[in-house]
Amino acid sequence: MLSLTLKEAVHKLRDGSITAKDLCEKCIERLNKTQQLNAFITETVDISRDSAAKTDRKRQKSKPMRWRKLEGLPIAVKDNFCTTGIRTSCSTAMLQNYIPPYTATVVQRLQDEGAYLIGKTNMDEFAMGSGSVDGIYGPVRNPWNYKFTSAHLENQQTKPIEQVNMRNYHTSTEDWHIAGGSSGGSAAAVASGVCFGALGSDTGGSTRNPAAYCGVVGFKPTYGMLSRHGLIPLVNSMDVPALFSKTVDDASILFNVMAGHDVHDSTTVTDEFNHFTLSDNISIKDLHIGIPKEYHTPGLSKDVHNAWVEAADMFEKAGSKVTQVSLPHTQYSILCYIVLNCCEVASNMARYDGIEFGHRATNEDSTEELYAATRHEGFNDVVRGRILAGNYFLLRQNYEKYFAKAMKIRRLISEDFKKVFASGVDVLLTPTTLTAAPTYKWFTERDNRTASEEQDIFTQPVNMAGVPAITVPSKLSDDGLPIGLQFIGQNFKDKELLTIAKWYEQQVQFKQLDLDYLDNVS
Amino acid sequence: MQFTKLTCRLWFQRVSRHNKDFCSKVPKTPKWEEVDHTRIPNVPHIDQEMINHLERVSLVEFNNQAGIERLSKAIESANKLHMVNTDGIEPMESVLEDRMLYLREDKVTDGRCKQEVLSNAVKTIEDYFVAPPGNIPLKTKERDYGSNSKGS
Amino acid sequence: MWSKQWKSVVGLEIHAQINTESKLFSGAENKFGGPTNTQVSLFDAAFPGTLPVLNKGCVEAGVLTALALRCTVNKVSKFDRKHYFYADLPAGYQITQQRQPLAVKGYVDYCISDKNNFQTKTANITQIQLEQDSGKSLHDEKDKISLIDLNRCGTGLMEIVTEPDFSDGTDASAFVKELQKILQTIQTCDCKMEEGSLRVDANISVHKPGERLGVRTEVKNLNSIKSVSKAISFEVKRQIELLENGGVVENETRSFDTEIDETVPMRDKEVKTDYRFMPEPNLPPLHLFDNESVKTVASKISVINIDDIQQKLPPLPEDTRKRLEQQYCLKRRDVAVLVDNSGLVDYFEEVMRLSPTTNAKLVSNFIINQLLGVLNDKKFTIHNCPVTTDDFGRLIDLVQTEEISYSTSYKVLDEMFEHPNITPEDIVEQKDWRQISDTQVLTNICEKVLEEHPKIIAKYRKGKLKYLHTLVNKAVIDSNNKGNPRILKQIMEDLLDNK
């Protein structure tokens, strides 16, 4: 049942071939069996069971009630989306007891169409990172190549709502792979079959990166299509709520439920959103694919390069026009991102002082002392480092040199994309990550900033320009780990992008991770 | 003549697409420009005055030498931006700069939710939030950011 | 006097709360005095994940104000974050418009009027920007805590920044009064300084004429016209004394202690803060339109047309002053008093409407020099004045036609207040206050006076012309104060010349 796609599951729920209760229990069981992946911070099992029961009762009612688009479907939501009454921690000590009194718009829209929350997923602290290893609840483990031991599988029960602060978490000696970040928990949740779709956020690749590492689809829509109301921000001018799913069709279904103007978010476009479904018969004969040459960067692994070549050649042989193009400012994009990211972080984090919400220290000598102590106790090194750097770049004497300069380069990067699309290119094809998922050991030998610089190299120029992008799993590496490829589209042409990605997915027939064997372990 | 040339080119392209020695459009080798490191501005020394100033405006401490090095590395990365010529380029603050800003009608649609507003505050007194007396500047401690770095 | 050796220069930053139903970026209510933390949305309390949404009413009010202050409205303006930590600022930053504000370069004509001095001046407006107000903190000294109420947090403010065009406290406070009148006329701010809906910060420096401008201090949160005047006057004096004694003026922020009428360093004194301005990423630029550019916009949902708002601009105080000057040939000084006092212009114009042949100058004089005083003494306002405009006009007519003397009119007006149902003519009749204008009667009185005071005549003849008035006054007394002074004077002169 758990290897169904979202589309199939929704269908079967609708026609009654599976009950919401059965599906829910299966998901909960899988959740229990995969505890050591540490994909979830908060598990909302009771809510799930209640919702499933409600869905089943609907079917029994004599008067037909509206059967909503996602009726009875469990989804997971990254723990930086506010959910009423359910702790939303952003994996930081600062918010470990924060219970929002409101729900993020995109989450609400999914719930309004009948989906229910199975849990809040693990992430890097405040979404800062590309590994999902820097949160207070410990790292997320990639389910691929993970050795689930029976010792772990016995006596598993749902984690209580109150999580132990795991800041001093000690790594195990196992050689497991990271799930990617910062939305690693959501990626692992979908890949391991716990749910059929999950929400993440994407600021510089935080959804596409873990999606590639975990062998699932990761879709970042055009900036302005999905509301950020209720998404605790990292970089407001780049953040986008993003989706994890098993197939491109699944991503499209979720996107269509969530998209459209929100009066609570002034950065959503006011244009009417035209709902769409993706065709099953797709022709790519008139398509023009661009291969940005600068995306062959130093450090690109042979495996990933080969997958890229195979995909480009596949399109060309099938009749598309494929040309090499240039995005000349690509190599400066990550540096530009560092400056803009740090500055926005410095600004966005200024509200964490312990007075209205969040952690509050006990030093009450003065406002300054309280704020400083609260922020010291509440933030990890990564967050603090970015705040200090951001404030440095925003100082009066530095503003022009760094922040304004970075914004100018942002325009150049955005223009690079515009020019290429204006020349007739429909979609760009690039790798998503430099390599397949690295091991935890290898990854933690780098500091957070270096890791981000390397891991986000292909993904974050997209956020600079606001254009939509999607990663689709293509094949396995020599080590048996998934490799994802990225398609980048034009602004507000999300439907066209998804269509092309779907065609590719149909060709490669990537075999999803199958953890059904865990069901047979008692 | 032009027409014939065009037809030839198109035919040739079709043939080469199906040719086994077909040329992939994906570059075989990395294509990044060499960065002339001599042109990158030096990272300035982060002196005590700057440390104090940043700590005061951030209300966050560097904590140890590693923290200061983190800042230096960030500045080092940011300095590479000066390799790019941005003469005559306007800063891009928002990708939606050409769009109309949505304006809300002047109506009361919010507030009147005192319980929710106070629900997450650790300390309240009679519906007020509570803060210590301010603004008293942080005591400038003599911090030794020596090589013995403390744990975070 | 030091004022000859020193020049003082003052610039103002005025924060006016915008008179809208809801706040600048949230839909919480904007009302004075609500119960603690009941007018607060999650955005106002800076809950993570909440976003600003701009209030159309605030923008329209800003544009109307900008037009009233003769500013150029920017077709594109932007929002910025200004960062600093304070307990009444939950987000750790204020959203304002530092780089590209709503409007720039305007001016205001206003009058300075006190007993000895009347002048008209023009003050230049540097810019007008929209920004958020902060919350309020109540300091409890005993328990060493601050109690924070966020009801005011996020209320829309128009910050009106002037050039340093004012010379002293009187000048600056006169400007603030004019600004109040303008904002109240266009109803974009209720200007109740006592409620905090209009607050003034003053930047003050002194220098010797011909030398460079001095170091300036900022005096914050002046919340009455009197405070504006007194604080600036005190600060100017303080700076001059300091400099004359060899001291140095520090670039600091001060507040005004109303108990001792002195400026004092602010309790929360801080080293100069770098606000690290940054564009507000959650608000794309604000585009405004005019009749031309509005044609290019497909949807009219969020469109504001500056030209439409210009049409809605009512007559401003300066417009009214100019009109009264021209229409009724009145002096600027008198017109200023009429416009200055709420309701007087309406009363005056109603009087003129009812009796158009009455001399306008006379009417305005009477209102200013008599009516205002009586209203004050008898604790009335012009709005509940018991004397109708009709009756008032008739009173003036009696003076104009010399039925009664100017001095008698005071007594008649008094009576009219006591007995509003009786017409002025009837009062004059009943009290027998009619002026005697009969030439023969008055000649007899004059001749009698001349017979009785030959010494005064002699003095007059020696060239001391003031003794004419003495003689006329005696004639007035002899006539039981009913003799027409103008005619008496004429007769007296003739008699003296012909003797």
Side-chain angles (χ1 to χ4, degrees):
Chain A
M1 211 191 281
L2 297 181
S3 48
L4 293 171
T5 65
L6 184 151
K7 191 174 180 185
E8 288 163 351
V10 154
H11 223 77
K12 285 188 187 289
L13 285 162
R14 184 189 288 266
D15 69 25
S17 40
I18 54 173
T19 64
K21 178 169 182 263
D22 282 346
L23 185 62
C24 181
E25 291 305 331
K26 268 257 174 263
C27 291
I28 291 170
E29 194 196 333
R30 180 60 59 88
L31 175 57
N32 290 341
K33 291 264 165 73
T34 54
Q35 286 289 338
Q36 68 257 232
L37 295 179
N38 202 20
F40 285 86
I41 294 173
T42 302
E43 292 158 10
T44 50
V45 159
D46 291 338
I47 291 173
S48 300
R49 288 192 168 118
D50 279 343
S51 301
K54 269 206 193 94
T55 297
D56 285 335
R57 277 200 298 275
K58 250 191 183 173
R59 216 197 301 280
Q60 288 156 18
K61 285 225 170 5
S62 49
K63 254 198 312 196
M65 296 179 72
R66 181 170 94 85
W67 191 268
R68 298 169 291 181
K69 296 195 185 98
L70 304 174
E71 197 75 56
L73 187 80
I75 51 156
V77 167
K78 185 176 180 183
D79 208 18
N80 59 355
F81 285 90
C82 290
T83 40
T84 309
I86 300 168
R87 184 257 311 272
T88 300
S89 73
C90 287
S91 208
T92 174
M94 187 63 85
L95 293 177
Q96 60 181 318
N97 295 315
Y98 173 60
I99 315 274
Y102 77 110
T103 297
T105 299
V106 289
V107 175
Q108 190 62 56
R109 287 182 181 179
L110 290 170
Q111 290 174 325
D112 288 344
E113 281 300 333
Y116 61 83
L117 186 66
I118 196 165
K120 306 296 290 297
T121 57
N122 201 353
M123 51 185 281
D124 283 303
E125 180 158 339
F126 274 119
M128 297 186 205
S130 331
S132 299
V133 302
D134 278 328
I136 61 164
Y137 300 107
V140 177
R141 294 179 173 85
N142 194 325
W144 285 82
N145 284 8
Y146 188 78
K147 299 176 193 60
F148 290 92
T149 61
S150 49
H152 282 126
L153 292 169
E154 282 165 14
N155 298 324
Q156 279 303 311
Q157 38 186 303
T158 313
K159 274 186 228 160
I161 288 274
E162 282 311 308
Q163 276 292 320
V164 172
N165 185 332
M166 293 170 78
R167 196 197 273 281
N168 296 317
Y169 181 87
H170 294 291
T171 65
S172 72
T173 54
E174 301 149 41
D175 212 10
W176 46 269
H177 297 265
I178 60 168
S182 60
S183 316
S186 283
V190 172
S192 59
V194 174
C195 57
F196 292 90
L199 280 189
S201 62
D202 194 312
T203 308
S206 295
T207 287
R208 289 162 286 152
N209 172 297
Y213 285 168
C214 292
V216 293
V217 168
F219 173 44
K220 183 206 92 68
T222 308
Y223 182 91
M225 289 302 293
L226 295 184
S227 169
R228 292 182 298 110
H229 172 71
L231 168 61
I232 298 175
L234 174 60
V235 181
N236 285 291
S237 62
M238 298 188 213
D239 289 351
V240 179
L243 305 165
F244 292 95
S245 59
K246 292 180 194 165
T247 69
V248 176
D249 257 335
D250 291 350
S252 173
I253 291 170
L254 290 173
F255 176 67
N256 271 274
V257 167
M258 299 187 328
H261 180 238
D262 180 12
V263 295
H264 293 111
D265 179 356
S266 305
T267 56
T268 50
V269 294
T270 50
D271 304 344
E272 177 98 32
F273 174 65
N274 296 317
H275 293 84
F276 59 84
T277 27
L278 301 177
S279 165
D280 286 323
N281 297 319
I282 301 165
S283 165
I284 50 133
K285 286 221 160 30
D286 294 320
L287 200 61
H288 184 169
I289 307 263
I291 308 290
K293 65 180 190 203
E294 291 86 1
Y295 277 57
H296 192 155
T297 68
L300 183 64
S301 80
K302 200 155 111 354
D303 277 336
V304 176
H305 182 256
N306 286 342
W308 189 16
V309 169
E310 280 162 26
D313 295 353
M314 180 196 294
F315 272 97
E316 198 161 7
K317 288 173 181 156
S320 302
K321 181 173 166 196
V322 179
T323 54
Q324 200 177 90
V325 295
S326 175
L327 297 172
H329 297 94
T330 300
Q331 74 186 83
Y332 298 102
S333 188
I334 190 69
L335 307 170
C336 183
Y337 178 73
I338 286 169
V339 173
L340 298 178
N341 183 306
C342 287
C343 291
E344 279 230 28
V345 163
S347 179
N348 292 335
M349 299 295 144
R351 69 189 59 209
Y352 295 106
D353 52 32
I355 305 288
E356 285 85 18
F357 47 79
H359 174 68
R360 183 180 180 129
T362 48
N363 183 337
E364 304 265 345
D365 291 340
S366 71
T367 322
E368 280 73 7
E369 295 290 341
L370 174 65
Y371 286 19
T374 297
R375 291 155 75 78
H376 179 86
E377 293 165 16
F379 293 144
N380 71 6
D381 272 348
V382 175
V383 178
R384 291 203 298 261
R386 292 197 197 187
I387 293 172
L388 289 162
N391 276 322
Y392 178 84
F393 295 134
L394 287 174
L395 291 176
R396 210 177 281 126
Q397 67 263 34
N398 291 333
Y399 182 88
E400 277 303 317
K401 256 197 309 190
Y402 293 107
F403 190 73
K405 181 83 177 175
M407 285 199 291
K408 290 177 185 176
I409 294 176
R410 181 174 186 177
R411 185 177 295 284
L412 290 174
I413 292 165
S414 179
E415 292 293 317
D416 280 356
F417 281 100
K418 280 204 185 101
K419 283 191 193 121
V420 158
F421 288 127
S423 71
V425 169
D426 295 304
V427 137
L428 297 166
L429 169 61
T430 79
T432 309
T433 52
L434 281 170
T435 64
T439 59
Y440 177 74
K441 196 155 159 291
W442 182 94
F443 188 80
T444 45
E445 274 159 13
R446 279 144 178 70
D447 67 274
N448 180 288
R449 195 186 48 81
T450 315
S452 298
E453 266 185 51
E454 292 173 355
Q455 301 302 320
D456 289 343
I457 224 154
F458 300 128
T459 48
Q460 56 67 40
V462 160
N463 300 81
M464 288 284 169
V467 291
I470 185 168
T471 180
V472 178
S474 67
K475 59 188 276 198
L476 295 180
S477 70
D478 293 340
D479 298 328
L481 292 164
I483 292 169
L485 289 179
Q486 175 175 241
F487 294 87
I488 304 172
Q490 294 182 62
N491 267 324
F492 304 106
K493 293 219 165 142
D494 301 76
K495 178 185 175 189
E496 288 77 355
L497 176 69
L498 288 166
T499 306
I500 295 163
K502 181 173 173 178
W503 180 88
Y504 177 73
E505 177 188 65
Q506 286 170 338
Q507 309 312 306
V508 296
Q509 302 273 320
F510 178 81
K511 194 163 179 313
Q512 300 275 330
L513 181 66
D514 187 351
L515 296 182
D516 283 350
Y517 71 89
L518 293 176
D519 299 341
N520 302 326
V521 180
S522 56
Chain B
M1 272 301 274
Q2 290 279 59
F3 182 76
T4 321
K5 262 196 191 159
L6 183 63
T7 337
C8 281
R9 196 158 13 111
L10 285 171
W11 173 84
F12 186 70
Q13 277 179 348
R14 265 192 68 207
V15 166
S16 47
R17 263 193 222 129
H18 292 106
N19 193 326
K20 277 251 154 99
D21 294 4
F22 158 90
C23 181
S24 179
K25 303 302 173 295
V26 176
K28 292 193 174 65
T29 50
K31 294 285 175 209
W32 277 24
E33 281 173 10
E34 266 302 313
V35 168
D36 178 5
H37 287 268
T38 60
R39 281 180 52 205
I40 304 172
N42 285 330
V43 178
H45 169 61
I46 317 277
D47 60 15
Q48 191 62 45
E49 193 187 332
M50 178 59 76
I51 289 172
N52 290 340
H53 186 45
L54 284 178
E55 287 188 341
R56 201 171 47 239
V57 297
S58 309
L59 288 183
V60 152
E61 290 181 6
F62 279 94
N63 218 45
N64 49 36
Q65 188 61 29
I68 298 172
E69 271 162 25
R70 211 175 279 127
L71 174 62
S72 299
K73 287 259 158 60
I75 300 172
E76 191 184 337
S77 291
N79 278 349
K80 291 178 193 160
L81 292 175
H82 294 93
M83 306 297 298
V84 183
N85 184 342
T86 52
D87 292 342
I89 307 289
E90 283 299 303
M92 178 183 235
E93 292 157 15
S94 167
V95 293
L96 301 174
E97 59 192 3
D98 295 326
R99 297 230 155 207
M100 293 281 292
L101 175 59
Y102 173 74
L103 299 174
R104 179 177 56 85
E105 288 301 316
D106 180 31
K107 287 198 194 107
V108 177
T109 54
D110 223 332
R112 297 177 189 151
C113 54
K114 182 181 65 178
Q115 291 313 322
E116 281 147 336
V117 165
L118 297 171
S119 63
N120 275 280
V122 170
K123 261 197 197 169
T124 58
I125 293 176
E126 283 179 35
D127 296 344
Y128 287 94
F129 295 104
V130 180
N135 280 349
I136 303 159
L138 281 179
K139 310 178 195 60
T140 2
K141 302 176 202 156
E142 279 305 307
R143 279 181 219 91
D144 174 21
Y145 287 134
S147 52
N148 307 326
S149 48
K150 295 176 269 182
S152 53
Chain C
M1 272 296 283
W2 52 260
S3 57
K4 292 211 181 90
Q5 293 173 33
W6 294 94
K7 270 183 74 112
S8 50
V9 173
V10 180
L12 300 177
E13 284 164 17
I14 295 132
H15 294 93
Q17 280 186 349
I18 307 176
N19 192 15
T20 47
E21 296 287 319
S22 58
K23 295 181 178 180
L24 184 59
F25 296 118
S26 85
E29 192 171 9
N30 171 27
K31 205 171 70 164
F32 181 75
T36 311
N37 283 320
T38 54
Q39 291 169 205
V40 183
S41 71
L42 298 180
F43 170 77
D44 299 326
F47 271 60
T50 53
L51 300 166
V53 185
L54 184 55
N55 181 339
K56 191 174 188 191
C58 288
V59 182
E60 287 168 334
V63 172
L64 187 62
T65 303
L67 294 171
L69 302 186
R70 320 290 185 210
C71 294
T72 305
V73 178
N74 281 331
K75 292 270 172 58
V76 181
S77 61
K78 297 180 179 174
F79 290 93
D80 303 294
R81 293 183 180 180
K82 177 181 180 182
H83 300 88
Y84 62 95
F85 288 109
Y86 206 81
D88 64 11
L89 194 71
Y93 59 83
Q94 175 201 33
I95 302 179
T96 177
Q97 292 186 300
Q98 193 238 7
R99 297 163 296 139
Q100 214 165 307
L102 185 69
V104 291
K105 290 197 173 53
Y107 65 90
V108 173
D109 295 321
Y110 64 104
C111 313
I112 309 175
S113 166
D114 59 27
K115 291 192 198 91
N116 309 316
N117 175 35
F118 179 85
Q119 50 170 157
T120 44
K121 278 191 83 174
T122 305
N124 292 295
I125 307 292
T126 318
Q127 67 184 54
I128 299 178
Q129 60 205 52
L130 296 175
E131 60 184 36
Q132 294 173 304
D133 208 345
S134 59
K136 277 208 188 127
S137 26
L138 303 174
H139 301 293
D140 184 333
E141 293 292 343
K142 183 169 74 72
D143 292 333
K144 286 202 164 25
I145 53 170
S146 292
L147 298 176
I148 314 290
D149 176 10
L150 297 179
N151 276 351
R152 195 183 70 177
C153 192
T155 294
L157 290 177
M158 294 178 289
E159 179 172 328
I160 300 165
V161 183
T162 75
E163 296 289 324
D165 286 345
F166 308 104
S167 51
D168 56 33
T170 313
D171 191 4
S173 59
F175 168 80
V176 175
K177 270 183 81 177
E178 180 70 10
L179 184 66
Q180 269 184 318
K181 281 205 277 290
I182 294 173
L183 296 179
Q184 283 166 336
T185 304
I186 60 177
Q187 297 182 324
T188 54
C189 175
D190 65 22
C191 296
K192 289 186 185 162
M193 290 182 86
E194 66 283 7
E195 285 181 3
S197 51
L198 190 80
R199 300 172 326 243
V200 178
D201 296 344
N203 292 306
I204 303 151
S205 72
V206 298
H207 65 279
K208 289 206 163 126
E211 287 182 9
R212 257 182 14 180
L213 291 179
V215 172
R216 62 175 201 211
T217 59
E218 188 187 13
V219 182
K220 282 185 89 67
N221 289 331
L222 300 165
N223 56 12
S224 72
I225 302 286
K226 274 216 184 81
S227 291
V228 171
S229 179
K230 283 188 191 171
I232 294 171
S233 300
F234 176 85
E235 180 60 19
V236 165
K237 190 154 154 281
R238 183 191 78 87
Q239 288 189 13
I240 290 172
E241 277 173 10
L242 188 60
L243 290 168
E244 285 190 334
N245 289 325
V248 162
V249 175
E250 273 183 51
N251 175 218
E252 59 173 350
T253 306
R254 298 171 76 87
S255 61
F256 185 59
D257 188 330
T258 47
E259 278 174 34
I260 53 175
D261 277 356
E262 290 185 6
T263 66
V264 295
M266 273 196 100
R267 194 173 63 94
D268 301 341
K269 183 183 166 174
E270 244 220 52
V271 179
K272 271 196 77 174
T273 307
D274 187 330
Y275 293 116
R276 291 150 289 128
F277 288 94
M278 187 187 92
E280 169 54 69
N282 292 317
L283 292 169
L286 172 64
H287 294 269
L288 297 174
F289 298 85
D290 55 24
N291 286 334
E292 267 310 301
S293 55
V294 85
K295 293 175 196 161
T296 61
V297 181
S299 160
K300 299 279 182 283
I301 306 173
S302 297
V303 169
I304 293 180
N305 184 336
I306 301 169
D307 290 335
D308 278 349
I309 297 180
Q310 178 82 54
Q311 296 299 322
K312 295 195 185 119
L313 204 55
L316 300 173
E318 182 60 17
D319 299 328
T320 308
R321 279 185 217 111
K322 286 204 173 93
R323 181 176 65 75
L324 293 175
E325 272 180 308
Q326 281 168 8
Q327 193 174 338
Y328 301 103
C329 300
L330 296 175
K331 284 213 186 87
R332 167 52 61 134
R333 188 181 197 132
D334 294 335
V335 142
V337 177
L338 289 178
V339 171
D340 225 17
N341 291 281
S342 162
L344 276 193
V345 172
D346 288 339
Y347 193 92
F348 165 79
E349 293 209 278
E350 180 68 4
V351 170
M352 294 309 300
R353 192 184 67 78
L354 291 172
S355 48
T357 53
T358 312
N359 184 298
K361 283 202 182 94
L362 207 55
V363 175
S364 87
N365 275 344
F366 264 76
I367 290 176
I368 293 167
N369 297 322
Q370 285 198 43
L371 183 60
L372 270 186
V374 179
L375 284 169
N376 203 30
D377 289 341
K378 294 186 190 287
K379 307 263 186 279
F380 283 99
T381 68
I382 194 68
H383 301 286
N384 60 5
C385 176
V387 176
T388 64
T389 45
D390 185 28
D391 281 344
F392 191 80
R394 289 141 90 93
L395 172 64
I396 310 298
D397 279 338
L398 290 176
V399 174
Q400 189 162 318
T401 54
E402 296 188 1
E403 291 278 319
I404 56 172
S405 70
Y406 203 90
S407 57
T408 310
S409 69
Y410 280 82
K411 295 194 289 191
V412 177
L413 187 61
D414 248 2
E415 285 296 314
M416 285 165 80
F417 265 81
E418 297 302 319
H419 308 284
N421 298 326
I422 311 178
T423 66
E425 293 89 345
D426 288 342
I427 292 173
V428 166
E429 202 56 50
Q430 284 170 17
K431 298 280 188 183
D432 189 27
W433 281 342
R434 182 167 285 123
Q435 203 164 228
I436 303 170
S437 296
D438 184 315
T439 327
Q440 191 54 55
V441 171
L442 293 179
T443 305
N444 291 343
I445 294 172
C446 285
E447 282 175 345
K448 192 157 170 288
V449 165
L450 287 176
E451 274 169 33
E452 286 169 5
H453 298 96
K455 283 186 187 161
I456 300 177
I457 299 172
K459 283 182 189 168
Y460 173 73
R461 293 247 188 266
K462 280 182 189 164
K464 290 186 179 154
L465 299 172
K466 69 175 183 187
Y467 286 101
L468 173 65
H469 297 292
T470 318
L471 291 167
V472 170
N473 281 342
K474 289 199 185 292
V476 166
I477 294 165
D478 282 355
S479 68
N480 290 324
N481 286 318
K482 282 158 75 172
N484 186 326
R486 183 184 61 80
I487 298 178
L488 278 173
K489 179 169 177 268
Q490 219 175 314
I491 294 171
M492 196 65 86
E493 266 179 332
D494 286 342
L495 290 176
L496 284 167
D497 286 345
N498 292 331
K499 262 233 157 113

